[in-house]
Amino acid sequence: MATLQLNNITKHFGDTAVIKGIDLEVNDREFVVFVGPSGCGKSTLMRIIAGLESATDGDIVIDGQRMNDVGPADRGLAMVFQSYALYPHMTVEGNMGFSMRLAGVPKEERRAKVLETAKILQLEPLLDRKPKALSGGQRQRVAIGRAIVRNPSIFLFDEPLSNLDAALRVQMRIELARLHEKLNATMIYVTHDQIEAMTMADKIVVLHDGVVEQVGSPMALYHHPANRFVAGFIGSPKMNFFDVELISTSPEGVQVRLPGGGECTVPVNAQALENASSENTPIESQPALELGIRPEHLVLDEAGALSGQIEVLERLGGQTSLYVRMGDLLVTLMTDGDVAYRVHETIRFGFAPERAHLFAADGRALPSLAQHPLAGLTRHDNRTSGDAEALA
Amino acid sequence: MTKTRASGRTVGGLRTLSLQAPAVTLLLLWMIIPLGMTIWFSFQYYNLLMPGMSGFAGVENYEYLLTDPALWKAMGNTLLLVGWVLAITVVGGTLLAVLFQQDFAGRGIARVLAISPFFVMPTVSALVWKNMMMHPSNGVLAWLANSLGLPAVDWFSALPLTSIVIIVAWQWLPFALLILLTAMQSLDEDQVEAARMDGAGPIAIFFFITLPHLKRAISVVIMIEMIFLLTIFAEIFVTTSGGPGLATTNLAYLIYMRALLDFDVGVASAGGVIAIILANIVAIFLVRMVAKNLED
Ligand SMILES: Nc1ncnc2c1ncn2[C@@H]1O[C@H](COP(=O)(O)OP(=O)(O)OP(=O)(O)O)[C@@H](O)[C@H]1O
Ligand SMILES: [Mg+2]
């Protein structure tokens, strides 16, 4: 059992507020990923949870106990640093057993525990080496091993894979997912990497400028971003945004005029808009709306509502990215790998209205009328139960 | 032909050799000629007060020196001086480095003040210590003792070698501090935090993280200080002149006494050769150990 609650955490460095009131609930055995642009306070928040930094205000509650005044070693947490932070003058075994050595665990017991952990991580042949004599991936595994040995209730990872090359990252990603399954532990993970966030998380927390923009499952964030920031941040390549004019609202959705003159009814709840215009402002003087469509949801279509000239064409084999000029906008389209277009050709394209997102002037998304069928999916649903047993 | 160092760099080889040759030759001559002359004189009768007496002396100069109780006393003093000063500067330097790494108001000024003694000339600092600090009637230490109701200590006659050790350590502590402070700043903060998460308190962090990290820097401090401390001269010359008796005579001072006070160049040269041998014995044991430490 390990749960974590953050209640209105704030953190100031001098006069600058870095964390501006964060509430968060992490359930037992959940894999929670913090994402956000650089400098948004992910590391700071994690260090506050770890106890390496004190919160200016707010409560940190682990397993129902307020932990603000408990030292980092006594919170039952273990942290894996981006730089690995292995002790360079100790062997792998010394590194992994350091916490037990400090706690006065007898040598035999220490060795047994280290061996057991080394077995999980395939580190047995390396136990007598110093960190200097290890590869990046091996060091990372030692750092993880050092955390596992402590038997923590919550694991904290601060961008643990960002120093590894692409192939090793994929491998470690899978290994971490496997470990999560096997150890039945709660894990909190900071990353810049979209793929890591989408594939590993039960729950993604999108941070921006010290506040939580949205919390949800990867599919919920992808299909139902709460605001323009989350919509632009989650998904790669980035979502396209168009300025659109509001024509009318109805229970079926919001009708808007697209750039280039086409019209389209997006099936979203206009309630939010109407509330904003409570003083009966005529619809024409409403602030502009923004329409967001992901590159993979734009489709080539001779009868499509949008058109533009191809400026750049990137062929990846299986897929082709088209960068299409529409006035001052450069729109990204992901299409089939076999399209025969060339640069400077003019193309028409469209989209399914239910794939589009509408954002009010303040950046809030208008909620979709229909929930996407996969939005409730959790990571566990991606595996058969047989899988989970095989892994255990 | 070319060898490869552990670092992966190749050494030797014809091209690099020809480039190194002038510098190496110059250094070699610089070393060989004085060394050769010293060895040559050490086997000669050569006393400036007795110009008529010259010629090959065999090992007589050495015999005279090695049977001279002053030599053994001087060797002992040299080792004591080096040992104590090293111990004080390394331990004190490490503790001060840890202290000055903490954040406190006025840290920058405190650092400068702590390092400044190193920039005072040895003769000047020795004079300051002799006349203003340790003087039995108008020194600061005497005043302190008196105001506590204790009798003043006549440092240079009661504790001569201790006084020299204090003066030299005061001069070299800043050097150790400077090197160790620089090394402290390269300590990875993440390592300290990882240790904190592993349950290490300040003392455990010092012994398990900080000290191993400083190992190399401490080796450098020991090596460099040793080279200079083996030949301490000015401080002794200015304060005790090697006395009382031979209490503060080290090898360098003994050679000076023999050569310039007794005008016996032959014996002084023999003393020089013995000093070289002693330095090499120390070097073989200590410098090798330290250098090995530096490599890994
Ligand atoms: N000790 C400190 N003193 C002052 N400001 C700090 C301190 N530590 C962090 N900050 C500031 O807090 C903000 C958040 O930093 P943090 O390291 O949490 O960002 P991050 O989200 O982890 O970024 P990245 O993705 O680049 O690691 C930054 O603007 C940073 O400059
Ligand atoms: Mg960070």
Side-chain angles (χ1 to χ4, degrees):
Chain A
M1 261 303 282
T3 63
L4 169 74
Q5 278 113 39
L6 300 180
N7 297 329
N8 198 24
I9 295 285
T10 58
K11 176 74 189 174
H12 296 256
F13 286 114
D15 288 338
T16 35
V18 173
I19 304 286
K20 301 166 186 163
I22 287 189
D23 292 297
L24 185 68
E25 182 107 12
V26 176
N27 300 321
D28 188 32
R29 295 178 197 177
E30 211 167 21
F31 199 117
V32 176
V33 173
F34 293 173
V35 292
S38 198
C40 68
K42 305 182 293 289
S43 298
T44 307
L45 186 59
M46 180 155 276
R47 291 163 52 79
I48 290 173
I49 297 171
L52 294 171
E53 203 92 64
S54 62
T56 308
D57 205 359
D59 295 328
I60 301 133
V61 179
I62 297 174
D63 281 341
Q65 269 180 305
R66 187 172 178 277
M67 287 290 182
N68 288 40
D69 305 318
V70 177
D74 303 322
R75 294 189 179 190
L77 313 176
M79 183 151 168
V80 176
F81 295 77
Q82 178 177 357
S83 62
Y84 315 137
L86 298 178
Y87 313 125
H89 49 277
M90 296 182 200
T91 60
V92 169
E93 185 177 347
N95 266 280
M96 289 170 62
F98 187 55
S99 57
M100 288 188 283
R101 185 168 161 198
L102 288 172
V105 176
K107 200 161 180 180
E108 285 310 308
E109 203 175 315
R110 228 156 64 197
R111 200 175 161 79
K113 179 85 190 164
V114 168
L115 268 175
E116 183 192 324
T117 309
K119 205 166 281 169
I120 301 176
L121 294 164
Q122 289 118 44
L123 286 171
E124 291 147 298
L126 308 176
L127 282 178
D128 293 327
R129 294 223 200 141
K130 295 263 176 78
K132 207 176 45 178
L134 299 176
S135 72
Q138 290 167 338
R139 284 180 209 182
Q140 189 53 264
R141 288 216 296 275
V142 175
I144 293 169
R146 187 171 65 180
I148 294 175
V149 161
R150 296 193 49 214
N151 226 343
S153 53
I154 303 179
F155 283 88
L156 305 173
F157 295 92
D158 193 352
E159 303 192 32
L161 306 188
S162 55
N163 289 343
L164 304 179
D165 69 44
L168 204 49
R169 256 189 216 208
V170 174
Q171 190 192 330
M172 288 302 293
R173 206 167 72 207
I174 294 167
E175 212 159 309
L176 274 176
R178 187 177 64 94
L179 268 178
H180 180 229
E181 214 76 32
K182 183 160 184 159
L183 299 173
N184 265 328
T186 308
M187 293 188 173
I188 301 178
Y189 189 101
V190 169
T191 183
H192 268 121
D193 189 304
Q194 290 271 336
I195 299 177
E196 279 173 31
M198 296 301 272
T199 56
M200 297 169 83
D202 292 316
K203 184 151 98 183
I204 295 182
V205 179
V206 183
L207 291 170
H208 181 215
D209 257 351
V211 297
V212 173
E213 293 283 350
Q214 191 175 358
V215 178
S217 73
M219 287 304 110
L221 260 58
Y222 180 84
H223 291 293
H224 300 290
N227 54 42
R228 192 185 183 284
F229 176 81
V230 175
F233 194 80
I234 298 288
S236 164
K238 213 168 162 289
M239 185 184 273
N240 298 299
F241 294 100
F242 305 90
D243 286 325
V244 293
E245 274 172 50
L246 180 63
I247 300 174
S248 67
T249 63
S250 66
E252 283 80 53
V254 177
Q255 198 180 19
V256 294
R257 190 180 321 282
L258 300 171
E263 285 175 13
C264 149
T265 302
V266 184
V268 293
N269 189 342
Q271 206 74 44
L273 266 188
E274 278 153 14
N275 290 347
S277 57
S278 51
E279 298 115 51
N280 286 332
T281 30
I283 256 164
E284 299 79 55
S285 65
Q286 281 283 333
L289 292 178
E290 246 182 323
L291 182 80
I293 309 165
R294 297 193 184 278
E296 53 272 36
H297 295 153
L298 283 172
V299 287
L300 294 167
D301 179 2
E302 283 308 319
L306 300 164
S307 82
Q309 199 183 43
I310 300 175
E311 205 163 272
V312 177
L313 200 141
E314 288 177 345
R315 292 188 185 279
L316 302 173
Q319 284 176 319
T320 301
S321 325
L322 306 177
Y323 297 89
V324 179
R325 174 64 59 189
M326 285 181 70
D328 1 318
L329 272 179
L330 193 64
V331 178
T332 315
L333 255 97
M334 292 293 282
T335 63
D336 191 68
D338 296 336
V339 286
Y341 290 116
R342 288 167 187 279
V343 177
H344 298 313
E345 277 183 89
T346 300
I347 55 169
R348 291 201 75 81
F349 51 95
F351 57 92
E354 66 273 12
R355 289 296 203 183
H357 306 267
L358 261 186
F359 302 98
D362 61 2
R364 272 178 312 125
L366 305 185
S368 297
L369 289 173
Q371 190 76 357
H372 190 279
L374 296 182
L377 202 68
T378 67
R379 197 168 58 101
H380 294 279
D381 300 331
N382 291 334
R383 299 198 187 98
T384 64
S385 54
D387 255 355
E389 269 161 35
L391 286 163
Chain B
M1 242 337 267
T2 54
K3 279 185 279 179
T4 309
R5 254 191 219 143
S7 61
R9 248 188 293 171
T10 53
V11 285
L14 208 56
R15 255 189 294 169
T16 50
L17 209 62
S18 62
L19 289 173
Q20 290 170 354
V24 171
T25 311
L26 194 69
L27 281 174
L28 208 64
L29 291 177
W30 197 265
M31 188 200 86
I32 283 289
I33 292 176
L35 180 67
M37 284 174 71
T38 309
I39 293 176
W40 170 250
F41 287 143
S42 73
F43 290 106
Q44 297 287 319
Y45 292 115
Y46 188 2
N47 191 321
L48 299 178
L49 293 179
M50 288 179 268
M53 200 175 153
S54 64
F56 188 65
V59 292
E60 210 171 290
N61 287 331
Y62 288 95
E63 210 180 309
Y64 172 72
L65 254 186
L66 289 175
T67 52
D68 181 358
L71 178 81
W72 300 107
K73 180 76 180 149
M75 272 200 207
N77 283 341
T78 307
L79 294 181
L80 274 177
L81 183 64
V82 172
W84 277 109
V85 173
L86 275 181
I88 294 172
T89 53
V90 168
V91 173
T94 308
L95 295 179
L96 279 179
V98 173
L99 178 70
F100 281 122
Q101 185 66 10
Q102 313 299 318
D103 229 345
F104 58 86
R107 182 173 68 168
I109 291 175
R111 279 185 187 174
V112 172
L113 286 180
I115 286 163
S116 52
F118 194 51
F119 302 109
V120 180
M121 270 185 283
T123 37
V124 175
S125 79
L127 278 174
V128 168
W129 275 96
K130 183 183 181 184
N131 296 323
M132 298 174 74
M133 299 296 294
M134 291 175 165
H135 197 281
S137 53
N138 38 17
V140 171
L141 295 180
W143 173 79
L144 266 180
N146 283 333
S147 52
L148 290 176
L150 300 169
V153 181
D154 185 359
W155 286 89
F156 290 106
S157 48
L159 301 163
L161 194 59
T162 311
S163 308
I164 301 284
V165 166
I166 291 174
I167 295 173
V168 177
W170 181 78
Q171 271 177 6
W172 284 91
L173 185 63
F175 172 76
L177 172 61
L178 195 66
I179 303 266
L180 295 176
L181 196 56
T182 320
M184 278 291 280
Q185 280 161 357
S186 70
L187 177 58
D188 182 10
E189 198 55 37
D190 279 355
Q191 264 177 47
V192 175
E193 293 191 334
R196 278 176 65 198
M197 301 245 11
D198 272 345
I203 293 174
I205 287 177
F206 177 77
F207 281 108
F208 287 114
I209 309 292
T210 313
L211 213 51
H213 175 76
L214 290 181
K215 210 168 78 177
R216 276 165 179 236
I218 289 176
S219 307
V220 170
V221 168
I222 291 178
M223 196 150 70
I224 294 178
E225 281 197 7
M226 208 173 55
I227 292 167
F228 286 94
L229 293 178
L230 277 173
T231 58
I232 286 288
F233 177 79
E235 290 83 347
I236 297 172
F237 181 74
V238 169
T239 54
T240 60
S241 302
L246 292 170
T248 55
T249 301
N250 66 353
L251 269 183
Y253 201 81
L254 183 71
I255 294 166
Y256 161 79
M257 287 204 305
R258 290 291 172 261
L260 285 156
L261 299 182
D262 302 347
F263 298 98
D264 193 333
V265 178
V267 170
S269 297
V273 173
I274 291 174
I276 292 168
I277 292 170
L278 181 74
N280 273 289
I281 291 172
V282 175
I284 284 167
F285 285 114
L286 226 128
V287 178
R288 285 279 167 85
M289 190 182 84
V290 165
K292 191 168 156 285
N293 206 337
L294 280 182
E295 251 171 32
D296 62 35

